[in-house]
Every structure is written in structure tokens, then in C-alpha cells.
Amino acid sequence: MAASAEEYAAFEERVRRTVYMDNLSPQVTENVLKAALDQFVNVVNVQFIPNYINPQSLPRAALVEMETLNQASAIIAEMADSPFMVLGMPRPVRARTAEVEMFDSRPKKPGRKITYKWLDPEDPDFEVARKIKVLTRKHASETEFLLNHQLKEEENLANQQLETLKAHYKKYELIDAVLSDNTAKKLADRYRIPLSDA
């Protein structure tokens, strides 16, 4: 059933206030994205767009509705000027204005009529449709390969960051132990070095 002109106008206003964000890490959740953006704008709603091409259906993009059109424009401009990273992952998030077709819950445009028909194998459009189908399958397999490669790189980076954190914590424990058992004071006295209490 077609929406009324007022309902469709309200939907279009919502679309204008919404930002499409992609290149998101699979670990990004709605709360994480809201917390990251709430520093700059007021987020009304976050809706992840499922990745139907990949069997894992990881969220790779999201529609983020802002409170005002100015806030949506500001966040797009800000993210175009400087990289915006969520969860410290090495993939900068991209943002652009959302489009009507991105919403799966969009109302039917008033006055729009959709017609469809089955194609005969002799029809020239049948060959075009077949080529598009083959190209879509090829694109899906390439996308899956690239996603798996990117996830592996992110996992390696996360492990590397964890190892670095553990190494820094061991150094901190060593320094804390040297200060707490008076080894630092004994060494300072032995080598006549003034030791700061701070």
C-alpha cells in the first residue's frame, strides 16, 4: 500500500538526517558506534545493514540517524577531513549521505507503480540478466576472500597490540617492584644519584 504524501515526506526528512557509514569492523556494536559519535553529534538511531553476500552476515555498514540535518552534514564533513577509527582498528570508517534505497523499511512512494515480467530466453535482456548474475557471483566470492584477509590482518594486529600491552605491564610491574622494595633507593645511594620522591 502506498504511503500518503505526508508520510513519505517525513521519511525523506529522516533519510536526509541519516548518514551511511561503511568499512566498519565486525566488532563494532550499536553501543560502541553511538558512544563514538555522541562526542560530536546526537545519535537518534543506529541500524546495521546485514551483509547478505557473506555467509557470516557480519555488519559492515550502518545507517546512523542524527537529530538534525546539520549534525549529519557536520559528521560527514568531519569524517572526510580526518580518519575516524572505531575500536582502534586499522580501517578508517567512511561516511556519506544516506539514500532512500538503503532503507529496507521504506514506504512505497506515492504514485509509483512497479511492473515486472518473466524474460524469454530469446529476449536480448535475458543475456544481460545472465551476465549480471555471473558477475554478481564473481563479486561475492572476491568480497568474501577480501573480507577473510582483512579479518585475519585485524586479528594479527589485535594480537600484536595485546602482546605490546603485556610487555608494557611487565615493565610497569618491574618498576613498581624496584620502587617498593627500596632497590631504587639503594642504587641511588650507591651511585650518589638524587632520587625524586615523585
Side-chain angles (χ1 to χ4, degrees):
M1 187 170 95
S4 68
E6 294 83 23
E7 289 174 331
Y8 198 77
F11 169 71
E12 285 182 320
E13 175 60 30
R14 180 177 156 224
V15 171
R16 284 192 287 275
R17 289 192 323 261
T18 303
V19 176
Y20 170 79
M21 294 186 177
D22 70 347
N23 208 28
L24 292 167
S25 171
Q27 287 91 10
V28 173
T29 63
E30 181 179 342
N31 291 336
V32 168
L33 197 54
K34 272 187 177 180
L37 292 173
D38 274 341
Q39 304 171 53
F40 312 105
V41 294
N42 295 329
V43 177
V44 175
N45 184 32
V46 175
Q47 176 190 352
F48 284 102
I49 301 173
N51 183 355
Y52 295 110
I53 294 174
N54 190 298
Q56 297 166 321
S57 190
L58 297 172
R60 311 276 298 141
L63 294 169
V64 183
E65 184 182 348
M66 309 300 170
E67 199 170 78
T68 66
L69 175 60
N70 290 341
Q71 289 180 353
S73 301
I75 201 73
I76 291 171
E78 183 65 34
M79 290 174 74
D81 292 342
S82 54
F84 183 69
M85 300 211 184
V86 180
L87 291 176
M89 290 299 165
R91 61 166 80 162
V93 178
R94 297 179 298 236
R96 66 183 175 100
T97 307
E99 297 172 14
V100 171
E101 292 77 17
M102 295 176 176
F103 291 78
D104 56 358
S105 61
R106 65 184 175 271
K108 187 176 176 184
K109 190 172 185 176
R112 182 175 181 205
K113 184 177 178 183
I114 299 174
T115 59
Y116 57 91
K117 65 176 183 173
W118 289 103
L119 288 178
D120 188 271
E122 304 301 320
D123 191 326
D125 288 340
F126 185 83
E127 184 61 26
V128 173
R130 190 187 66 71
K131 286 180 181 177
I132 290 174
K133 185 177 179 181
V134 169
L135 186 64
T136 303
R137 286 183 179 161
K138 180 181 177 187
H139 176 72
S141 62
E142 289 172 352
T143 302
E144 185 174 359
F145 172 78
L146 289 173
L147 175 66
N148 289 334
H149 180 71
Q150 193 170 14
L151 288 175
K152 196 175 289 185
E153 283 182 348
E154 286 182 3
E155 189 176 311
N156 290 341
L157 178 67
N159 290 336
Q160 182 183 357
Q161 289 174 339
L162 182 64
E163 291 302 316
T164 303
L165 186 64
K166 286 180 181 177
H168 288 314
Y169 186 72
K170 284 183 181 178
K171 289 177 190 175
Y172 169 77
E173 284 183 325
L174 178 66
I175 291 170
D176 192 44
V178 166
L179 290 174
S180 65
D181 69 358
N182 286 334
T183 302
K185 185 175 179 345
K186 291 175 187 174
L187 287 171
D189 290 344
R190 170 79 172 113
Y191 293 102
R192 297 186 184 116
I193 299 172
L195 188 65
S196 171
D197 290 337

